[in-house]
Amino acid sequence: MKKEYLYAGTSVLCFGTVATVSKLLMNQLDALYVLAFSFLFATLFLGVYNWKKGFLCEVKKLTARIWIRMILIGSLGVFFYNYFLLLGTARLKAQTAFVINELWPALIILFSCWILKEKMNPGKAAAVIFSFLGILVVTTDGNLAEFSLGDSRGVFYALMAAVCYGMYCTLNKKEIYDKNLSVMISYAAGTITAFILVLIQGKLTIPTGSQVAGMLWNGIICNALPYLTWALALDLGNTAVIANLAYLTPFVSLILTHFVLGEKITVFSVLGLVLIVTGIIIQMIVNKKMEASEI
């Protein structure tokens, strides 16, 4: 097996555990408490990686302006994204929260048109429409006529997670700073923020062994490791081919939530995912034809 597919497969499997691990942790702990320790483990892991690769020496060259931009933009994709996703997962079935979160690629399209002034085309429009239809099917359990969202607050949190990550990816497109350092710094800032908030709430207690294991998994396997393996996969392989493998993640997540959490895989979860992926496939086909016509 080629290394790029091994790295990409690792990322898909790691990201696929997010919904299950989040649900298990939120059954026992507060969201900020989970983030504090998970981010700490992620920061340590990324710190060791950057040190081994010799990237840490570049930190002292960063200007105050770059530090601020790294932390502010990074907080969207690290702190707020994970915080809202945990809150949504606590109130919804894990598979529902994760499928709603898959709205972020469509939001990147919308935010890119708004912020980066990229042009909308039929492929992008199809991806957005199919994504929103998929989310509606999942959140209403297929009952579009009566439009009942079930736990509306849980849906709101999961949607906000998608918004934060979509905005993070869009804003990051404009930045030229080192992404390895920016992610590490984002996790470090998130760690400090989460611990301060936990201390203010007076909820800082010693976690049990199983809780440490869960937060260690969440910090490294769900966050830090797949980021690195995904970056390596994109560097080694064909970007378009590797990027398409990301759409296997929600299906892996559905399987894990079923066998680990005992959640029944609903027809509406699968249908919602199929609609979302269909939109992305249409976008890819239309974009490829448009690029070919321009040659």
Side-chain angles (χ1 to χ4, degrees):
M1 180 183 291
K2 292 184 177 180
K3 282 186 177 181
E4 57 265 38
Y5 294 113
L6 179 62
Y7 288 138
T10 299
S11 295
V12 168
L13 291 175
C14 289
F15 283 134
T17 68
V18 170
T20 300
V21 174
S22 296
K23 191 69 174 181
L24 290 172
L25 287 170
M26 290 304 293
N27 286 338
Q28 308 175 50
L29 300 167
D30 175 76
L32 288 172
Y33 187 94
V34 171
L35 292 184
F37 284 96
S38 297
F39 287 174
L40 175 61
F41 295 136
T43 302
L44 293 174
F45 182 88
L46 292 169
V48 171
Y49 172 80
N50 282 304
W51 172 63
K52 286 285 188 180
K53 290 292 183 178
F55 298 146
L56 280 185
C57 61
E58 299 297 318
V59 171
K60 59 185 178 182
K61 299 180 183 178
L62 300 177
T63 63
R65 180 176 177 275
I66 292 178
W67 271 92
I68 292 172
R69 293 186 69 83
M70 281 183 172
I71 292 172
L72 291 180
I73 294 174
S75 66
L76 286 171
V78 174
F79 184 85
F80 289 107
Y81 165 69
N82 282 282
Y83 182 58
F84 283 123
L85 187 58
L86 284 174
L87 292 179
T89 303
R91 301 184 69 95
L92 302 170
K93 289 192 296 184
Q95 62 180 278
T96 302
F98 201 80
V99 173
I100 295 173
N101 184 55
E102 287 302 302
L103 186 62
W104 64 264
L107 291 174
I108 291 177
I109 294 173
L110 294 178
F111 291 150
S112 294
C113 291
W114 171 41
I115 297 173
L116 305 181
K117 308 303 179 184
E118 294 182 2
K119 292 183 179 180
M120 179 67 75
N121 61 41
K124 291 180 179 180
V128 171
I129 292 170
F130 273 85
S131 292
F132 277 97
L133 282 175
I135 298 305
L136 282 175
V137 168
V138 173
T139 55
T140 62
D141 278 339
N143 193 4
L144 296 177
E146 296 184 6
F147 195 72
S148 175
L149 290 179
D151 191 323
S152 57
R153 185 176 295 182
V155 171
F156 171 76
Y157 288 144
L159 285 173
M160 283 304 298
V163 169
C164 288
Y165 199 73
M167 184 64 74
Y168 163 74
C169 292
T170 303
L171 294 176
N172 234 7
K173 283 184 179 182
K174 300 195 303 180
E175 302 300 327
I176 58 174
Y177 49 62
D178 186 279
K179 298 304 189 292
N180 290 292
L181 290 179
S182 70
V183 171
M184 181 191 70
I185 290 171
S186 297
Y187 275 106
T191 302
I192 295 170
T193 303
F195 269 112
I196 289 174
L197 292 174
V198 170
L199 285 171
I200 291 174
Q201 293 178 342
K203 295 182 178 180
L204 186 59
T205 58
I206 299 176
T208 65
S210 61
Q211 290 170 349
V212 170
M215 290 184 288
L216 188 66
W217 184 284
N218 189 48
I220 296 178
I221 306 301
C222 294
N223 285 275
L225 178 62
Y227 158 75
L228 293 176
T229 52
W230 190 251
L232 289 170
L234 291 174
D235 283 342
L236 292 173
N238 181 291
T239 301
V241 174
I242 296 299
N244 292 338
L245 296 178
Y247 299 106
L248 294 174
T249 300
F251 295 101
V252 172
S253 181
L254 281 181
I255 294 171
L256 288 177
T257 56
H258 173 68
F259 286 104
V260 178
L261 300 178
E263 291 187 0
K264 181 181 179 181
I265 299 177
T266 68
V267 173
F268 304 114
S269 291
V270 175
L271 179 58
L273 275 179
V274 169
L275 285 170
I276 293 170
V277 173
T278 299
I280 299 300
I281 292 173
I282 292 174
Q283 178 193 5
M284 290 164 50
I285 294 173
V286 172
N287 287 349
K288 188 172 290 187
K289 287 183 177 180
M290 291 179 68
E291 290 173 1
S293 64
E294 292 174 358
I295 298 176

